[in-house]
């Protein structure tokens, strides 16, 4: 019977311990989930950016920008993916294979693309010797226009522009053997940069066009080559004054102004500003990309302009996309990303604004959550007390059984069980502190049980295993041990 009681007591102790351990595991899982959530929210956002062509100025800019973001441990990072052509990078954005992309809208405008920044504009520059008599676009009829091809889209771009003026490109047959193109036709002759002067001198072309940034080496060298082929070094830059009307029909184009003196200060070339049209290379993003991430990308891109330009000079040509008001910014002919507008309008969200809804919810439910933790703390404290209560209950049962024992063997079994219970209490004291009142109750119970066991042995005529004084000394040692554990 006594051994059965021991097994039951141990079972109850094991059950209490198991419940306590499961509660601790649950708490660990909750805290682990919270820590994982915090780590997830605080990790940098990585965006894939598609760039083409591989050896272009835009690719160099994105590479150095991505490295600078990583070196400064910013909250947003770029993973650069190179493509052979700007058409391929735009396609990657349209097919959702990239978050950002360098796009030339007249080549391919992704349906899901929104503008972050204009990396640089390229203007249509048409230069002709002054003696040629070419002063405007209408004068190109029945003329040959040499085109310094820098991109496969340059010829289609000129073809679309000529169509606005009801001009057609002359066929190869119409240009054969030096023939003059028919009326309302313009002969487009692809040229390399080194062929410009020779083509003008031999009358193979009457004017030369190049699509490039006005201050770039390609534009300046082309104008200088036309100048070198002119007898009096006089050059006329043909303007395209119908820019607004052209953009209405071809919204992917840009209106560009070539400032006076761009190609030389003395004599000033051109003497006055020249209005023309051109194309833009834009950094665009999918509309689904986070406004916070986009705002951060645009902010660092413009704030680090001088730092980036040391390695990628094209950074000096960056500018904000054109828009009139914040309302029309996202509905422009080439819509802008709301995150970029946030930066340009200085309306970026702070960390508090970003998570204000969560903060409000936590504050609103804070009382309930606090009450839940308080209840959980009380529950854990009760579980800790249950183990001691089991020992106390069993000691009280042993006290009664010792008084009713009829043999020394029963008393010996109860003594062994008491020792087992005392050992469990000592282990409990090592694991955590025990309330001083429970310690006092345990001492009284153990002292009473030891006294009852000694009385039973004397009644049955067996010598006491230990005297009452020894029992009290043992109890005192137990008390000291538990007090030290409680501290």
């Amino acid at each position: 019977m006594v051994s059965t009681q021991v097994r039951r007591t141990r079972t109850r102790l094991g059950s209490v311990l198991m419940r306590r351990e499961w509660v601790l595991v649950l708490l660990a899982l909750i805290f682990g989930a919270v820590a994982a959530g915090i780590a997830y929210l605080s990790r940098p956002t990585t965006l894939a950016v598609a760039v083409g062509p591989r050896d272009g100025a835009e690719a160099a800019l994105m590479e150095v920008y991505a490295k600078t973001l990583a070196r400064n441990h910013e909250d947003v990072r770029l993973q650069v993916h190179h493509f052979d052509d700007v058409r391929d990078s735009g396609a990657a954005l349209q097919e959702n294979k990239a978050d950002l992309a360098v796009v030339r809208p007249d080549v391919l405008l992704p349906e899901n693309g929104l503008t972050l920044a204009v990396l640089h504009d390229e203007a249509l520059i048409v230069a002709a010797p002054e003696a040629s008599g070419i002063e405007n676009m209408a004068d190109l009829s029945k003329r040959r226009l040499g085109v310094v091809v820098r991109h496969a889209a340059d010829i289609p771009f000129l073809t679309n522009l000529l169509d606005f003026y009801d001009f057609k490109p002359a066929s190869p047959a119409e240009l054969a053997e030096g023939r003059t193109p028919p009326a309302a036709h313009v002969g487009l002759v692809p040229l390399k940069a080194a062929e410009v002067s020779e083509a003008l001198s031999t009358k193979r072309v009457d004017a030369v066009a190049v699509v490039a940034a006005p201050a770039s080496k390609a534009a300046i060298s082309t104008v200088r080559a036309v100048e070198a082929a002119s007898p009096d070094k006089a050059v006329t830059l043909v303007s395209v004054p119908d820019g607004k009307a052209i953009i209405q029909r071809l919204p992917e184009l840009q209106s560009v102004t070539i400032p006076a003196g761009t190609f030389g200060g003395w004599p000033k070339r051109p003497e006055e500003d020249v209005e023309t049209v051109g194309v833009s290379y834009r950094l665009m993003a999918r509309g689904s990309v986070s406004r916070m991430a986009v705002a951060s990308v645009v902010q660092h891109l413009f704030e680090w302009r001088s730092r980036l330009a040391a390695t990628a000079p094209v950074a000096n040509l960056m500018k904000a996309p054109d828009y009139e008001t914040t309302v029309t910014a996202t509905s422009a002919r080439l819509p802008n990303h709301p995150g970029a507008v946030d930066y340009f309008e200085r309306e970026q969200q702070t960390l508090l604004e970003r998570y204000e809804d969560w903060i409000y919810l936590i504050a609103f439910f804070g009382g309930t959550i606090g009450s839940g933790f308080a209840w959980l703390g009380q529950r854990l404290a009760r579980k800790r007390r249950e183990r001691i209560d089991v020992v106390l209950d069993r000691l009280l049962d042993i006290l009664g059984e010792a008084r009713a024992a009829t043999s020394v063997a029963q008393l010996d079994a109860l003594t062994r069980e008491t020792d087992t219970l005392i050992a469990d209490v000592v282990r409990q004291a090592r694991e955590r502190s025990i309330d001083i009142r429970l310690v006092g109750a345990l001492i009284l119970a153990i002292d009473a049980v030891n006294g009852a066991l000694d009385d039973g042995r004397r009644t049955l005529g067996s010598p006491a295993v230990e005297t009452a004084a020894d029992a009290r000394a043992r109890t005192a040692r137990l008390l000291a041990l538990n007090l030290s554990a409680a501290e």
Side-chain angles (χ1 to χ4, degrees), residues 1-2 5-6 9 390-405 410-422 445-446 448-453:
M1 175 180 180
V2 174
Q5 289 293 341
V6 172
T9 301
V390 170
V391 174
L392 280 172
D393 290 342
R394 182 54 191 153
L395 287 173
L396 294 178
D397 292 339
I398 291 174
L399 179 61
E401 293 174 11
R403 296 296 183 188
Q410 288 180 337
L411 293 175
D412 290 341
L414 292 173
T415 299
R416 288 192 295 270
E417 185 178 357
T418 302
D419 291 340
T420 300
L421 294 175
I422 293 173
I446 293 169
V449 168
N450 286 330
L453 292 172

Side-chain angles (χ1 to χ4, degrees), residues 138-356:
D139 294 334
L140 289 175
S141 177
K142 304 175 65 176
R143 301 294 186 102
R144 294 168 177 260
L145 178 63
V147 182
V148 179
V149 179
R150 302 177 62 243
H151 190 279
D154 290 347
I155 296 294
F157 163 66
L158 277 168
T159 301
N160 291 333
L161 185 62
L162 293 175
D163 184 64
F164 177 83
Y165 291 97
D166 293 328
F167 290 164
K168 303 293 182 182
S171 65
E174 293 171 336
L175 296 177
E177 299 178 357
R179 297 173 56 184
T180 300
H185 284 67
V186 178
L188 299 179
V189 181
L191 296 176
K192 295 181 180 180
E195 299 175 338
V196 172
S197 295
E198 184 272 336
L200 286 168
S201 299
T202 59
K203 305 300 181 181
R204 186 154 63 100
V205 298
D206 302 297
V208 177
V210 63
V211 180
S216 67
K217 292 181 180 179
I220 294 174
S221 62
T222 299
V223 174
R224 294 280 172 84
V226 174
E227 182 182 78
S230 303
D232 53 0
K233 307 299 182 184
V235 176
T236 298
L237 291 178
V238 178
S239 67
V240 185
D242 306 307
K244 291 184 178 179
I246 292 172
I247 292 172
Q248 288 292 324
R249 184 183 298 183
L250 303 170
E252 65 274 9
L253 302 184
Q254 293 283 108
S255 179
V256 182
T257 300
I258 302 175
T262 298
F263 304 108
W266 185 258
K268 185 182 291 186
R269 297 187 298 274
E271 294 182 356
E272 299 178 347
D273 291 353
V274 176
E275 299 296 327
T276 184
V277 293
V279 297
S280 61
Y281 285 79
R282 294 171 174 250
L283 181 61
M284 305 187 82
R286 290 185 290 108
S288 58
V289 177
S290 162
R291 291 177 65 162
M292 284 287 294
V294 167
S296 184
V297 168
V298 177
Q299 175 183 349
H300 298 312
L301 184 63
F302 281 94
E303 289 182 352
W304 296 345
R305 182 201 299 266
S306 58
R307 188 189 311 182
L308 300 174
T311 304
V314 72
N316 288 321
L317 302 178
M318 291 188 306
K319 66 178 184 178
D322 296 329
Y323 62 89
E324 295 179 359
T325 64
T326 306
V327 175
T328 60
T330 55
S331 59
R333 57 188 179 85
L334 295 177
N336 303 297
H337 197 288
V341 177
D342 288 343
Y343 168 71
F344 296 131
E345 297 294 327
R346 298 299 187 269
E347 294 180 354
Q348 288 174 267
Q349 291 181 316
T350 63
L351 186 65
L352 182 63
E353 292 171 337
R354 182 179 181 182
Y355 296 110
E356 62 180 351

Side-chain angles (χ1 to χ4, degrees), residues 330 350 388 447 466:
T330 55
T350 63
I388 306 302
D447 191 36
E466 60 181 348

